[in-house]
Amino acid sequence: MTDPIKIDVWSDIACPWCYIGKRNLETGLAEAATDADAPRVEVTFHSYELSPDTPVDFEGTEIDFLSQYKGMPADQVEQMLERVTGVAADAGLGYRFDILKHTNTVKAHELLHFAKEQGKQKEMTERLMSAYFTEGRHVGRIEDLADLAGEAGLDRDAARDALESSRYLEAVRADQAQAQAYGIQGVPFFVIDGKYGVSGAQPAAAFAQITRQVWAERAEAPAAN
């Protein structure tokens, strides 16, 4: 049996395009899964921090953050967020920038590595992004993250202990070093089967197409001796 196609995704919990890209990827893979010879796919998420200098408890709105930290005029930020909200809605996501709590995401990334070890990375990634972009939940503090871990089916106390010990921080840094080695300068970034790089929140159809293409290439490749 052919090995599954590996899709490695570099993203940040606080990146609006990353959640859109994630949903479009899932939609595209679901479309390809209806094929007679459906591709088998294994998706792994990797850590990338867009704003590592962000405080855990940022005092202000998302507009305040982007205005202060990125030097963008408030009206320009509002227009940008309206556009992103519309694109998110097209992907089936209800963004709520009005209640979003901007925060540092390094602990959320540590939690994703803990979840990966427990076989729950997919569920934890979805829970974190939904909590952040649609529910106004805090994803930077350990106790809040432990609550979300419990909601994703993980042991809450074990998750809290993992975050307090920072034992997954090295794994987060390794992901970031790999992103740097690949030359990744923005997210989401998708590495398909270790040989194709796809940047940005591509449409679902694009993900379906490249997955089918790689699967067909696998079928056409001569068998190893």
Side-chain angles (χ1 to χ4, degrees):
M1 183 178 288
T2 306
D3 291 337
I5 296 169
K6 293 186 182 298
I7 300 181
D8 292 284
V9 186
W10 271 263
S11 66
D12 193 357
I13 298 303
C15 164
W17 293 105
C18 291
Y19 197 12
I20 294 167
K22 173 181 176 294
R23 187 61 87 245
N24 286 348
L25 172 65
E26 291 165 348
T27 302
L29 294 181
E31 178 186 326
T34 64
D35 294 356
D37 180 22
R40 293 191 306 116
V41 180
E42 181 181 291
V43 179
T44 303
F45 288 90
H46 299 275
S47 303
Y48 191 101
E49 289 180 273
L50 286 172
S51 302
D53 58 341
T54 305
V56 172
D57 290 302
F58 176 77
E59 297 295 335
T61 65
E62 182 71 353
I63 292 174
D64 294 333
F65 175 81
L66 291 172
S67 297
Q68 294 173 25
Y69 278 68
K70 305 298 183 184
M72 298 170 64
D75 58 343
Q76 183 180 337
V77 172
E78 286 186 43
Q79 292 173 8
M80 183 184 71
L81 294 183
E82 284 180 13
R83 183 170 72 89
V84 173
T85 300
V87 176
D90 290 340
L93 301 170
Y95 279 9
R96 291 289 308 275
F97 286 109
D98 56 322
I99 60 173
L100 183 148
K101 292 181 174 61
H102 204 97
T103 186
N104 189 290
T105 59
V106 68
K107 285 295 176 185
H109 285 295
E110 289 179 36
L111 179 57
L112 286 177
H113 281 278
F114 168 77
K116 178 184 177 183
E117 198 173 80
Q118 306 298 315
K120 290 275 189 181
Q121 192 194 49
K122 176 183 176 182
E123 294 83 353
M124 194 71 252
T125 303
E126 177 63 28
R127 190 69 202 94
L128 285 168
M129 288 184 162
S130 176
Y132 185 72
F133 282 108
T134 75
E135 302 167 32
R137 300 278 291 274
H138 203 300
V139 302
R141 297 185 298 236
I142 289 177
E143 289 299 326
D144 296 272
L145 288 167
D147 288 341
L148 290 167
E151 293 169 20
L154 291 162
D155 183 291
R156 185 192 185 282
D157 291 339
R160 185 187 60 210
D161 290 346
L163 295 175
E164 288 177 343
S165 71
S166 297
R167 67 175 180 267
Y168 291 94
L169 180 58
E170 185 177 344
V172 173
R173 299 303 182 221
D175 274 354
Q176 293 169 331
Q178 183 63 64
Q180 190 172 17
Y182 277 147
I184 297 171
Q185 297 181 332
V187 288
F189 194 91
F190 306 82
V191 177
I192 316 292
D193 230 25
K195 57 182 179 179
Y196 297 111
V198 178
S199 179
Q202 300 296 322
F207 287 118
Q209 190 274 331
I210 193 168
T211 303
R212 287 166 169 150
Q213 175 188 326
V214 171
W215 195 247
E217 289 172 0
R218 290 274 199 86
E220 294 166 2
N225 293 327

